[in-house]
Amino acid sequence: MGYQTMLLFLLASLLLQILKINAKVPAIIVFGDSSVDSGNNNEISTVLKSNFEPYGRDFNGGQPTGRFSNGRIPTDFISEAFGIKPTIPPYLDPTYNITHFATGVCFASAGTGYDNATSDVLSVIPLWKEMQYYKEYQKTLRAYLGNEKANEVLGEALYLISIGTNDFLENYYLIPGRSSEYTIEEYQNFLAGIAKEFITELYQLGARKISIAGLPPMGCLPLERATNIFSGSDCVEKYNDVSKDFNEKLQEMVMELNKELAGMRLVFSNPYDILLDMIQDPNKFGFEDAVTACCGTGFFEMSYLCDNVNPFTCSDANSYVFWDSFHPTEKTNQIVADHVVKTCLAEFL
């Protein structure tokens, strides 16, 4: 009898392990800025749009969608890696509805930041509004699936947050205001505090699987290198240092919240090292150019400056790390997404 009991116990334990291994993420829910905006800015009154050619020229037969890339963005590839769907629809696009959003939805807005003042610069959706849209989505999902099933989806979904670069490059270092109020370290702490509050609110609303992305080596973006002409257009190391310091603060915050919030699995996904590796050794990844971008002259074009009228746009975006002066190519996005899935998100697969 004792042997049978032990055997049953072992079988039950094995079954639990198998169920754990095979646990599926039913939906991907996205918050953030242009790094993950799949087209929400198309539906708002802002100059920061990309719903025109040549954006999207390598997306499903050349459809400009509002993604700031020649094709898909990292969250699309992450969704595909989880076996859900190859693209994540934008919440504000009227051609989609809750039947599409039930397995993945994007609330991100290009040009936004943790700081409300950042979203004001180009009149885009602030982070608090993204949260409002998410609450609205929860109600719609419950009406569609019923409370029990909807709560299960919301609890098992993977929440991806990618935001922060604009707070520094579009706000702190560009517009007088925050830089007169805060030292750079104080501003980093201010933003990290907002990130902590945002994640805590998501947790209170039922989220349990969350990934927050760090900043890229923002001093190596073509736009920043182009303005660094007195140093031979090298990466602006001051900005890269800010990225690294802020990423450390986010990592500390992640450790704190994992201790404070029971049952939450919060991970820090860091694009910094993999992107810097591509920029410093592009040939290793099959790229030819990591200094300039594909679109236009490759130094300053973004949004409406990157259009089909520009005669300089490259013919093969796969040769470039960057698509426009601020955003990566689809190939770069895929490499980053693959790296993040394998190193940070694997525990959710």
Side-chain angles (χ1 to χ4, degrees):
M1 190 69 177
Y3 173 77
Q4 286 179 322
T5 304
M6 184 176 289
L7 186 62
L8 285 170
F9 175 76
L10 288 172
L11 285 171
S13 297
L14 181 62
L15 182 61
L16 283 172
Q17 287 301 313
I18 291 170
L19 288 172
K20 186 177 179 182
I21 291 167
N22 291 330
K24 295 292 185 183
V25 167
I28 303 284
I29 298 172
V30 181
F31 301 93
D33 56 22
S34 60
S35 60
V36 291
D37 181 2
S38 56
N40 284 309
N41 274 25
N42 296 352
E43 311 303 325
I44 63 173
S45 180
T46 177
V47 296
L48 192 57
K49 296 179 188 285
S50 59
N51 56 342
F52 47 83
E53 297 177 348
Y55 285 100
R57 74 178 191 191
D58 299 307
F59 184 98
N60 272 357
Q63 296 297 315
T65 61
R67 289 167 171 82
F68 282 78
S69 177
N70 60 302
R72 290 193 284 169
I73 51 180
T75 41
D76 294 322
F77 289 110
I78 291 170
S79 176
E80 187 171 56
F82 275 82
I84 301 174
K85 53 190 178 185
T87 57
I88 299 180
Y91 183 65
L92 297 184
D93 189 332
T95 62
Y96 297 99
N97 57 46
I98 193 60
T99 63
H100 307 98
F101 299 148
T103 53
V105 59
C106 171
F107 300 101
S109 175
T112 200
Y114 288 110
D115 186 354
N116 287 338
T118 303
S119 62
D120 290 341
V121 175
L122 291 170
S123 301
V124 297
I125 304 166
L127 189 58
W128 66 264
K129 184 69 173 177
E130 291 187 27
M131 178 64 81
Q132 271 196 355
Y133 285 138
Y134 170 65
K135 291 176 182 176
E136 181 180 277
Y137 161 75
Q138 281 198 332
K139 291 178 183 177
T140 310
L141 189 69
R142 290 191 174 107
Y144 175 61
L145 295 176
N147 282 343
E148 187 177 345
K149 181 62 179 174
N151 289 339
E152 182 185 328
V153 169
L154 294 168
E156 293 296 328
L158 176 57
Y159 296 76
L160 303 176
I161 304 166
S162 178
I163 193 169
T165 304
N166 298 316
D167 289 306
F168 297 99
L169 298 185
E170 185 186 297
N171 185 356
Y172 189 87
Y173 286 115
L174 194 62
I175 297 171
R178 290 307 196 196
S179 57
S180 61
E181 291 180 65
Y182 301 99
T183 65
I184 189 60
E185 185 175 4
E186 288 170 344
Y187 192 58
Q188 289 172 332
N189 290 334
F190 169 67
L191 298 179
I194 295 170
K196 186 173 184 179
E197 290 172 7
F198 186 83
I199 291 168
T200 301
E201 187 171 1
L202 275 181
Y203 172 83
Q204 291 166 346
L205 290 167
R208 291 297 180 269
K209 302 173 182 177
I210 306 174
S211 167
I212 183 167
L215 299 184
M218 56 189 184
C220 293
L221 299 177
L223 182 64
E224 305 312 318
R225 294 175 81 144
T227 58
N228 195 29
I229 52 175
F230 295 112
S231 298
S233 297
D234 291 335
C235 295
V236 183
E237 290 307 323
K238 178 176 78 170
Y239 292 166
N240 283 354
D241 289 342
V242 167
S243 289
K244 287 185 284 189
D245 291 344
F246 185 63
N247 287 349
E248 285 180 14
K249 292 181 186 296
L250 288 182
Q251 283 180 294
E252 290 168 8
M253 182 266 292
V254 164
M255 288 189 287
E256 288 172 13
L257 282 181
N258 276 322
K259 291 176 183 175
E260 292 173 14
L261 303 178
M264 184 172 71
R265 293 157 69 191
L266 173 63
V267 299
F268 175 71
S269 59
N270 189 359
Y272 187 97
D273 293 333
I274 184 70
L275 266 171
L276 189 64
D277 198 12
M278 279 187 258
I279 291 163
Q280 292 178 336
D281 191 1
N283 293 337
K284 184 169 78 173
F285 297 88
F287 295 110
E288 295 175 11
D289 194 331
V291 177
T292 59
C294 172
C295 198
T297 63
F299 292 107
F300 61 85
E301 291 88 355
M302 181 174 63
S303 190
Y304 286 110
L305 294 176
C306 170
D307 60 27
N308 266 357
V309 178
N310 201 310
F312 302 109
T313 299
C314 77
S315 58
D316 180 15
N318 287 335
S319 299
Y320 289 73
V321 173
F322 293 98
W323 165 249
D324 66 17
S325 66
F326 216 79
H327 304 98
T329 57
E330 180 182 60
K331 180 178 174 180
T332 303
N333 287 334
Q334 184 169 17
I335 293 169
V336 170
D338 183 61
H339 174 78
V340 167
V341 167
K342 288 176 179 174
T343 60
C344 310
L345 306 179
E347 68 175 273
F348 301 124
L349 280 168

